[in-house]
Amino acid sequence: MRYRPLGDATGSVSAVTLQLDAAVAASGQQNIRQLLDAALDEGINSFHIDSLDPTLIRTTGAALSQLDRELLHVALTVGPLPNGRRDFSVEGLKAVLDAVLKATGLQYINTVVLDDPSESELPSLSLKYLEEEPRIRRLGIRGTTPVMDIYIRSGRFEAVFTPCHVQLNSHQRSWLRTAREMHLIVFGTEYYPQQLLSPEPGVTAPPPAKGLFGLPRKRQTAEVPSNPFLFLHTTPGWEAEDLCLANALLDPSLSGVVIRATNVERLQRLARTCERDMPVSLPAQLEMARVAAIRAA
């Protein structure tokens, strides 16, 4: 595993951060523990708790207790609740923090990540509480709406969780650029958007029509939609997702890239991508494919 500095803070984090979300929680306690143990074996020391599932939180705490707390980076998403509601009130935030710290035994959270709060959803008192809470080392923000630009420029957040794939839209590119200019800690997410980069299914040609004397007419070639990113799926020795992860890791401004895995095999494959050197032509191919996709849109 390779490690990166965590902004201007002391210490370093693994190049990839394991996201512990609802999909991981649904895999069961035994699998959660195996996944966490495998992550630690691979040298991962950065984890993002993205679900308030009690079993997930307790199992995470038990697994991470093996390491010196100062060697770990643990992020926690706040805002969404298990019942589907969203709560950014002081009381709600404090209740979540108290419950997670008690269940995990972690003493503190390195980065509390506010999940896509709208302008009217985040009371100033709540933000003040989070800034002054001694059990929180720093505040982070993630989101998909234009208000993200306001939050990033506000100076009240030290970390940003934002997409880092090759097909970023103008808003996402602006957020990433602003975060760099402000020297914020940046964690890349969604490095492999399948809906944008997966090969399109081929179009099957209809059966040839019969011509004179029952002979088939000249075969009509079906037009297959072109995909400028098709080369990702045909590069020998590489999975398309691994290439996208390796490309994201080329950005030195990222403190890490958040990965999702619900089984040990996938986790190990993604973690070991950090040690691989991608083909030297791939970054240029990705950029040309990005431009081609924009022109074709």
Side-chain angles (χ1 to χ4, degrees):
M1 178 56 60
R2 297 179 182 177
Y3 297 86
R4 299 185 173 201
L6 192 61
D8 295 329
T10 57
S12 58
V13 292
S14 49
V16 294
T17 292
L18 177 61
Q19 181 159 311
L20 303 169
D21 55 16
V24 175
S27 67
Q29 181 177 0
Q30 182 178 359
N31 186 72
I32 296 169
R33 183 57 190 259
Q34 291 174 348
L35 194 68
L36 286 161
D37 288 343
L40 295 173
D41 288 343
E42 292 294 331
I44 295 175
N45 71 345
S46 182
F47 301 88
H48 184 182
I49 301 174
D50 200 31
S51 168
L52 296 180
D53 179 83
T55 300
L56 174 67
I57 293 172
R58 286 195 302 269
T59 308
T60 298
L64 298 187
S65 65
Q66 305 173 69
L67 265 69
D68 182 339
R69 181 65 184 89
E70 291 299 317
L71 299 178
L72 290 169
H73 173 264
V74 179
L76 170 67
T77 299
V78 296
L81 298 177
N83 60 11
R85 293 176 53 246
R86 291 168 61 81
D87 188 355
F88 288 98
S89 68
V90 173
E91 296 77 15
L93 294 171
K94 187 176 185 303
V96 167
L97 183 63
D98 289 345
V100 170
L101 291 179
K102 181 179 180 180
T104 59
L106 289 174
Q107 289 88 47
Y108 61 88
I109 298 295
N110 297 85
T111 306
V112 164
V113 185
L114 279 68
D115 180 66
D116 205 10
S118 66
E119 288 185 84
S120 60
E121 201 174 21
L122 183 60
S124 58
L125 284 177
S126 296
L127 196 52
K128 186 174 184 293
Y129 159 70
L130 293 171
E131 291 171 332
E132 296 177 352
E133 170 59 65
R135 297 173 297 173
I136 298 173
R137 293 288 175 88
R138 68 181 62 84
L139 292 184
I141 187 76
R142 75 175 181 189
T144 58
T145 56
V147 73
M148 272 286 288
D149 191 60
I150 297 174
Y151 287 132
I152 292 173
R153 294 178 183 275
S154 69
R156 305 188 76 169
F157 297 92
E158 295 180 56
V160 176
F161 287 67
T162 187
C164 62
H165 57 80
V166 70
Q167 285 278 65
L168 298 179
N169 60 40
S170 59
H171 289 299
Q172 293 165 334
R173 289 183 181 278
S174 174
W175 301 337
L176 197 53
R177 183 170 57 252
T178 302
R180 289 168 179 154
E181 292 171 352
M182 297 184 65
H183 304 290
L184 302 183
I185 296 169
V186 182
F187 286 92
T189 64
E190 301 174 36
Y191 57 90
Y192 181 60
Q194 289 183 304
Q195 72 277 13
L196 295 178
L197 303 180
S198 294
E200 300 172 16
V203 177
T204 304
K210 298 295 183 179
L212 189 63
F213 305 118
L215 296 175
R217 293 177 180 172
K218 184 178 179 181
R219 182 182 297 274
Q220 299 294 320
T221 303
E223 183 178 351
V224 179
S226 60
N227 181 350
F229 295 101
L230 186 62
F231 67 91
L232 290 172
H233 304 268
T234 58
T235 302
W238 285 84
E239 296 285 342
E241 181 182 8
D242 300 356
L243 284 169
C244 291
L245 175 57
N247 184 67
L249 289 169
L250 292 177
D251 187 344
S253 69
L254 298 181
S255 290
V257 177
V258 180
I259 62 172
R260 290 187 173 100
T262 56
N263 60 71
V264 171
E265 293 74 21
R266 174 179 166 82
L267 169 69
Q268 291 174 334
R269 194 193 83 226
L270 293 174
R272 293 170 187 176
T273 298
C274 301
E275 300 289 344
R276 300 183 67 185
D277 294 322
M278 68 188 303
V280 294
S281 64
L282 256 295
Q285 284 181 274
L286 280 167
E287 179 60 19
M288 289 188 290
R290 183 186 71 82
V291 174
I294 292 174
R295 290 175 176 171

